[in-house]
Amino acid sequence: MSVDLKIKIGSMEMKNPVTVASGTFGYGPEYADLVDLNRLGAITVKGICPEAHVGNQTPRTFETRGGMLNAIGLPGPGAKGFIEKYVPFLNQYDTPVIVNIWGKVMEDYGRVVDIMDDEDGIDAYEINLSCPNVKEGGSAFGTDVATFSKVIELVRGKTDKPIIPKLAPNVPNIGSFAKAAEEAGADAIAIMNTMPAMAINIDTLEPELANKFGGLSGPPIKPIAIKLVFDAAQNCSIPIIGMGGIFEPEDAIEFLIAGATAVAVGTANFIDPTTIVRVIDGIERYLEEKGHSSVYDIVGTVKV
């Protein structure tokens, strides 16, 4: 049986339902010698704001038992720098490009889209409304429904390309944010960003991260992400990109059954860059074995 792995998010068609989590795959060139970028469903690049940004002080990462803490702080070349340095490279591939955008103030989200929206090599925007690692913006926009909606509406008014708000995990009711995103004009939502967390060195009595706090990612957060995807799927009809702790095909399939239409591989890219290819192949194999002809056959099929 032939399996159709294609899915759509707004006007963007992905050849399979697997992308990478922003911040774990650079801008594409960093991994091009390790994995065939044409195999990906989409390339989601590191966060871009209007101007170049240096990020946080080091140390910015810390390995935890089974996962990772990071407080990178969204360093990047800015919108114009991204266009000049990376868009020509990405245009060599037939894989859609999702640009993660963020801002220190609300207006920054509109400014970065204004700069980038005429570029042919940019297919969609992931709106970062949940990063716990920057002192300005980030999670401040993602934990209040009214502010969250205003940012989405601002971006929606700037572009016809698909927009994908990335939701914070540490909110009382993820369903209300999922519903608000859909009502504000989002084409899909991404769940979840890293979980705010901390580690302390017991000899120095100081935090392991210079930023004091960071975001926890990797396998420890997967059960949280699965529940958030399930809860969100009950409250909206737009596609969900699920992420958090995907290391094996079975992890990705679990997200799809919970209600995600697509998934993103994140922390695993640092350990084994070929993870994404194994996940794509594993999803296809599972669908074949179960007698399904499409990814959509298993989306949201959890029995509760």
Side-chain angles (χ1 to χ4, degrees), residues 1 12 17-18 26 59 63 72 98 114 121 142 157 179 181 225 236 239-240 257 269-270 284 288-289:
M1 178 182 291
M12 179 179 67
V18 188
E63 186 174 352
I72 303 297
I98 303 172
D114 282 340
K179 182 179 180 181
C236 71
I240 298 170
I257 294 171
N269 291 316
F270 299 129
E284 183 174 29
E288 289 176 345
E289 291 172 353

PDB file of all heavy atoms in Angstrom, residues 1 12 17-18 26 59 63 72 98 114 121 142 157 179 181 225 236 239-240 257 269-270 284 288-289:
ATOM      1  N   MET A   1       0.844  -1.200   0.000  1.00  0.00           N
ATOM      2  CA  MET A   1       0.000   0.000   0.000  1.00  0.00           C
ATOM      3  C   MET A   1       0.875   1.244   0.000  1.00  0.00           C
ATOM      4  O   MET A   1       1.840   1.328   0.731  1.00  0.00           O
ATOM      5  CB  MET A   1      -0.912   0.005   1.229  1.00  0.00           C
ATOM      6  CG  MET A   1      -1.797   1.246   1.331  1.00  0.00           C
ATOM      7  SD  MET A   1      -2.833   1.257   2.811  1.00  0.00           S
ATOM      8  CE  MET A   1      -3.957  -0.075   2.415  1.00  0.00           C
ATOM      9  N   MET A  12       0.850  26.143   2.954  1.00  0.00           N
ATOM     10  CA  MET A  12       2.143  25.457   2.891  1.00  0.00           C
ATOM     11  C   MET A  12       1.950  23.942   2.907  1.00  0.00           C
ATOM     12  O   MET A  12       1.370  23.384   3.843  1.00  0.00           O
ATOM     13  CB  MET A  12       3.026  25.870   4.078  1.00  0.00           C
ATOM     14  CG  MET A  12       4.384  25.177   4.104  1.00  0.00           C
ATOM     15  SD  MET A  12       5.408  25.705   5.505  1.00  0.00           S
ATOM     16  CE  MET A  12       4.455  25.025   6.888  1.00  0.00           C
ATOM     17  N   PRO A  17       5.229  14.958   7.663  1.00  0.00           N
ATOM     18  CA  PRO A  17       4.806  15.771   8.806  1.00  0.00           C
ATOM     19  C   PRO A  17       5.900  16.090   9.817  1.00  0.00           C
ATOM     20  O   PRO A  17       5.587  16.389  10.977  1.00  0.00           O
ATOM     21  CB  PRO A  17       3.733  14.888   9.445  1.00  0.00           C
ATOM     22  CG  PRO A  17       4.245  13.500   9.224  1.00  0.00           C
ATOM     23  CD  PRO A  17       4.874  13.534   7.852  1.00  0.00           C
ATOM     24  N   VAL A  18       7.172  16.058   9.388  1.00  0.00           N
ATOM     25  CA  VAL A  18       8.263  16.206  10.352  1.00  0.00           C
ATOM     26  C   VAL A  18       9.140  17.410  10.012  1.00  0.00           C
ATOM     27  O   VAL A  18       9.714  17.505   8.928  1.00  0.00           O
ATOM     28  CB  VAL A  18       9.135  14.936  10.414  1.00  0.00           C
ATOM     29  CG1 VAL A  18      10.143  15.052  11.567  1.00  0.00           C
ATOM     30  CG2 VAL A  18       8.279  13.684  10.600  1.00  0.00           C
ATOM     31  N   GLY A  26      19.947  25.311  13.827  1.00  0.00           N
ATOM     32  CA  GLY A  26      20.575  26.473  13.216  1.00  0.00           C
ATOM     33  C   GLY A  26      19.685  27.082  12.155  1.00  0.00           C
ATOM     34  O   GLY A  26      18.469  27.216  12.339  1.00  0.00           O
ATOM     35  N   PRO A  59      27.766  30.377  31.004  1.00  0.00           N
ATOM     36  CA  PRO A  59      27.252  29.189  30.320  1.00  0.00           C
ATOM     37  C   PRO A  59      25.770  29.300  29.995  1.00  0.00           C
ATOM     38  O   PRO A  59      24.995  29.836  30.786  1.00  0.00           O
ATOM     39  CB  PRO A  59      27.524  28.067  31.326  1.00  0.00           C
ATOM     40  CG  PRO A  59      27.554  28.744  32.660  1.00  0.00           C
ATOM     41  CD  PRO A  59      28.126  30.096  32.416  1.00  0.00           C
ATOM     42  N   GLU A  63      23.448  20.066  30.803  1.00  0.00           N
ATOM     43  CA  GLU A  63      22.832  18.750  30.624  1.00  0.00           C
ATOM     44  C   GLU A  63      22.219  18.277  31.937  1.00  0.00           C
ATOM     45  O   GLU A  63      22.859  18.318  32.998  1.00  0.00           O
ATOM     46  CB  GLU A  63      23.877  17.744  30.145  1.00  0.00           C
ATOM     47  CG  GLU A  63      23.291  16.387  29.798  1.00  0.00           C
ATOM     48  CD  GLU A  63      24.313  15.441  29.196  1.00  0.00           C
ATOM     49  OE1 GLU A  63      25.438  15.882  28.904  1.00  0.00           O
ATOM     50  OE2 GLU A  63      23.976  14.253  29.026  1.00  0.00           O
ATOM     51  N   ILE A  72      19.991  30.097  25.830  1.00  0.00           N
ATOM     52  CA  ILE A  72      20.782  30.679  24.751  1.00  0.00           C
ATOM     53  C   ILE A  72      20.436  32.160  24.577  1.00  0.00           C
ATOM     54  O   ILE A  72      21.302  33.004  24.360  1.00  0.00           O
ATOM     55  CB  ILE A  72      20.557  29.920  23.436  1.00  0.00           C
ATOM     56  CG1 ILE A  72      20.894  28.420  23.609  1.00  0.00           C
ATOM     57  CG2 ILE A  72      21.394  30.525  22.313  1.00  0.00           C
ATOM     58  CD1 ILE A  72      22.333  28.160  23.937  1.00  0.00           C
ATOM     59  N   ILE A  98      10.203  27.579   7.531  1.00  0.00           N
ATOM     60  CA  ILE A  98       9.410  28.267   8.549  1.00  0.00           C
ATOM     61  C   ILE A  98      10.365  29.124   9.369  1.00  0.00           C
ATOM     62  O   ILE A  98      11.317  28.605   9.951  1.00  0.00           O
ATOM     63  CB  ILE A  98       8.690  27.255   9.467  1.00  0.00           C
ATOM     64  CG1 ILE A  98       7.810  26.301   8.647  1.00  0.00           C
ATOM     65  CG2 ILE A  98       7.864  27.986  10.522  1.00  0.00           C
ATOM     66  CD1 ILE A  98       7.233  25.153   9.466  1.00  0.00           C
ATOM     67  N   ASP A 114       7.453  42.696   8.075  1.00  0.00           N
ATOM     68  CA  ASP A 114       7.556  43.717   7.027  1.00  0.00           C
ATOM     69  C   ASP A 114       8.850  43.565   6.234  1.00  0.00           C
ATOM     70  O   ASP A 114       8.875  43.732   5.002  1.00  0.00           O
ATOM     71  CB  ASP A 114       7.521  45.120   7.647  1.00  0.00           C
ATOM     72  CG  ASP A 114       6.118  45.556   8.044  1.00  0.00           C
ATOM     73  OD1 ASP A 114       5.147  44.987   7.521  1.00  0.00           O
ATOM     74  OD2 ASP A 114       6.012  46.472   8.892  1.00  0.00           O
ATOM     75  N   GLY A 121      11.809  32.723  -0.463  1.00  0.00           N
ATOM     76  CA  GLY A 121      12.329  31.574   0.268  1.00  0.00           C
ATOM     77  C   GLY A 121      11.771  31.404   1.667  1.00  0.00           C
ATOM     78  O   GLY A 121      12.236  30.550   2.419  1.00  0.00           O
ATOM     79  N   GLY A 142       3.082  35.336  25.878  1.00  0.00           N
ATOM     80  CA  GLY A 142       2.405  34.054  25.706  1.00  0.00           C
ATOM     81  C   GLY A 142       1.618  33.562  26.892  1.00  0.00           C
ATOM     82  O   GLY A 142       1.021  32.483  26.829  1.00  0.00           O
ATOM     83  N   GLY A 157      -2.224  40.624  10.133  1.00  0.00           N
ATOM     84  CA  GLY A 157      -2.464  41.788   9.293  1.00  0.00           C
ATOM     85  C   GLY A 157      -1.300  42.154   8.385  1.00  0.00           C
ATOM     86  O   GLY A 157      -1.453  42.995   7.493  1.00  0.00           O
ATOM     87  N   LYS A 179      -7.698  28.039  21.296  1.00  0.00           N
ATOM     88  CA  LYS A 179      -8.913  28.636  20.733  1.00  0.00           C
ATOM     89  C   LYS A 179      -8.674  30.085  20.346  1.00  0.00           C
ATOM     90  O   LYS A 179      -9.085  30.529  19.265  1.00  0.00           O
ATOM     91  CB  LYS A 179     -10.046  28.536  21.748  1.00  0.00           C
ATOM     92  CG  LYS A 179     -11.373  29.085  21.249  1.00  0.00           C
ATOM     93  CD  LYS A 179     -12.456  28.920  22.300  1.00  0.00           C
ATOM     94  CE  LYS A 179     -13.791  29.480  21.807  1.00  0.00           C
ATOM     95  NZ  LYS A 179     -14.854  29.343  22.836  1.00  0.00           N
ATOM     96  N   ALA A 181      -5.845  31.483  19.526  1.00  0.00           N
ATOM     97  CA  ALA A 181      -4.970  31.525  18.346  1.00  0.00           C
ATOM     98  C   ALA A 181      -5.776  31.342  17.070  1.00  0.00           C
ATOM     99  O   ALA A 181      -5.584  32.070  16.081  1.00  0.00           O
ATOM    100  CB  ALA A 181      -3.892  30.448  18.455  1.00  0.00           C
ATOM    101  N   ALA A 225       4.055  17.487  27.071  1.00  0.00           N
ATOM    102  CA  ALA A 225       3.722  17.957  25.730  1.00  0.00           C
ATOM    103  C   ALA A 225       2.577  17.154  25.121  1.00  0.00           C
ATOM    104  O   ALA A 225       1.695  17.719  24.459  1.00  0.00           O
ATOM    105  CB  ALA A 225       4.959  17.886  24.832  1.00  0.00           C
ATOM    106  N   CYS A 236      -9.573  23.434  19.404  1.00  0.00           N
ATOM    107  CA  CYS A 236      -9.373  24.146  18.141  1.00  0.00           C
ATOM    108  C   CYS A 236      -9.427  23.165  16.984  1.00  0.00           C
ATOM    109  O   CYS A 236      -9.276  21.957  17.174  1.00  0.00           O
ATOM    110  CB  CYS A 236      -8.054  24.919  18.140  1.00  0.00           C
ATOM    111  SG  CYS A 236      -6.575  23.883  18.061  1.00  0.00           S
ATOM    112  N   PRO A 239      -4.444  22.850  12.554  1.00  0.00           N
ATOM    113  CA  PRO A 239      -3.397  21.849  12.812  1.00  0.00           C
ATOM    114  C   PRO A 239      -2.506  22.225  13.988  1.00  0.00           C
ATOM    115  O   PRO A 239      -2.325  23.407  14.302  1.00  0.00           O
ATOM    116  CB  PRO A 239      -2.586  21.839  11.505  1.00  0.00           C
ATOM    117  CG  PRO A 239      -3.507  22.392  10.474  1.00  0.00           C
ATOM    118  CD  PRO A 239      -4.369  23.392  11.190  1.00  0.00           C
ATOM    119  N   ILE A 240      -1.961  21.205  14.618  1.00  0.00           N
ATOM    120  CA  ILE A 240      -1.016  21.375  15.714  1.00  0.00           C
ATOM    121  C   ILE A 240       0.309  20.738  15.324  1.00  0.00           C
ATOM    122  O   ILE A 240       0.330  19.608  14.812  1.00  0.00           O
ATOM    123  CB  ILE A 240      -1.543  20.715  17.003  1.00  0.00           C
ATOM    124  CG1 ILE A 240      -2.858  21.377  17.448  1.00  0.00           C
ATOM    125  CG2 ILE A 240      -0.502  20.798  18.122  1.00  0.00           C
ATOM    126  CD1 ILE A 240      -3.560  20.638  18.572  1.00  0.00           C
ATOM    127  N   ILE A 257      -1.231  10.701  17.288  1.00  0.00           N
ATOM    128  CA  ILE A 257      -2.433  10.077  17.843  1.00  0.00           C
ATOM    129  C   ILE A 257      -3.104  10.995  18.863  1.00  0.00           C
ATOM    130  O   ILE A 257      -4.338  11.024  18.987  1.00  0.00           O
ATOM    131  CB  ILE A 257      -2.076   8.710  18.457  1.00  0.00           C
ATOM    132  CG1 ILE A 257      -1.636   7.736  17.355  1.00  0.00           C
ATOM    133  CG2 ILE A 257      -3.242   8.124  19.243  1.00  0.00           C
ATOM    134  CD1 ILE A 257      -1.050   6.428  17.869  1.00  0.00           C
ATOM    135  N   ASN A 269      18.420  16.475  17.880  1.00  0.00           N
ATOM    136  CA  ASN A 269      19.330  16.907  16.818  1.00  0.00           C
ATOM    137  C   ASN A 269      20.753  17.110  17.329  1.00  0.00           C
ATOM    138  O   ASN A 269      21.716  16.949  16.579  1.00  0.00           O
ATOM    139  CB  ASN A 269      18.835  18.215  16.199  1.00  0.00           C
ATOM    140  CG  ASN A 269      17.559  18.039  15.411  1.00  0.00           C
ATOM    141  OD1 ASN A 269      17.420  17.086  14.643  1.00  0.00           O
ATOM    142  ND2 ASN A 269      16.613  18.946  15.585  1.00  0.00           N
ATOM    143  N   PHE A 270      20.895  17.474  18.617  1.00  0.00           N
ATOM    144  CA  PHE A 270      22.224  17.695  19.185  1.00  0.00           C
ATOM    145  C   PHE A 270      22.949  16.378  19.433  1.00  0.00           C
ATOM    146  O   PHE A 270      24.179  16.348  19.511  1.00  0.00           O
ATOM    147  CB  PHE A 270      22.116  18.457  20.507  1.00  0.00           C
ATOM    148  CG  PHE A 270      21.498  19.823  20.378  1.00  0.00           C
ATOM    149  CD1 PHE A 270      20.454  20.200  21.202  1.00  0.00           C
ATOM    150  CD2 PHE A 270      21.946  20.725  19.428  1.00  0.00           C
ATOM    151  CE1 PHE A 270      19.875  21.459  21.104  1.00  0.00           C
ATOM    152  CE2 PHE A 270      21.374  21.990  19.311  1.00  0.00           C
ATOM    153  CZ  PHE A 270      20.331  22.355  20.155  1.00  0.00           C
ATOM    154  N   GLU A 284       6.279   6.402   8.330  1.00  0.00           N
ATOM    155  CA  GLU A 284       5.823   5.741   7.104  1.00  0.00           C
ATOM    156  C   GLU A 284       5.660   4.239   7.321  1.00  0.00           C
ATOM    157  O   GLU A 284       4.660   3.631   6.909  1.00  0.00           O
ATOM    158  CB  GLU A 284       6.794   6.017   5.962  1.00  0.00           C
ATOM    159  CG  GLU A 284       6.348   5.420   4.635  1.00  0.00           C
ATOM    160  CD  GLU A 284       7.248   5.826   3.492  1.00  0.00           C
ATOM    161  OE1 GLU A 284       8.452   6.079   3.738  1.00  0.00           O
ATOM    162  OE2 GLU A 284       6.749   5.888   2.347  1.00  0.00           O
ATOM    163  N   GLU A 288       2.158   1.994   7.113  1.00  0.00           N
ATOM    164  CA  GLU A 288       2.064   0.830   6.226  1.00  0.00           C
ATOM    165  C   GLU A 288       1.634  -0.412   7.002  1.00  0.00           C
ATOM    166  O   GLU A 288       0.747  -1.161   6.573  1.00  0.00           O
ATOM    167  CB  GLU A 288       3.411   0.582   5.544  1.00  0.00           C
ATOM    168  CG  GLU A 288       3.772   1.613   4.486  1.00  0.00           C
ATOM    169  CD  GLU A 288       5.160   1.384   3.920  1.00  0.00           C
ATOM    170  OE1 GLU A 288       5.944   0.618   4.544  1.00  0.00           O
ATOM    171  OE2 GLU A 288       5.477   1.976   2.873  1.00  0.00           O
ATOM    172  N   GLU A 289       2.271  -0.615   8.155  1.00  0.00           N
ATOM    173  CA  GLU A 289       1.973  -1.805   8.952  1.00  0.00           C
ATOM    174  C   GLU A 289       0.537  -1.809   9.469  1.00  0.00           C
ATOM    175  O   GLU A 289      -0.081  -2.880   9.603  1.00  0.00           O
ATOM    176  CB  GLU A 289       2.948  -1.897  10.128  1.00  0.00           C
ATOM    177  CG  GLU A 289       4.377  -2.215   9.716  1.00  0.00           C
ATOM    178  CD  GLU A 289       5.354  -2.115  10.870  1.00  0.00           C
ATOM    179  OE1 GLU A 289       4.955  -1.663  11.965  1.00  0.00           O
ATOM    180  OE2 GLU A 289       6.539  -2.472  10.676  1.00  0.00           O
TER     181      GLU A 289
END
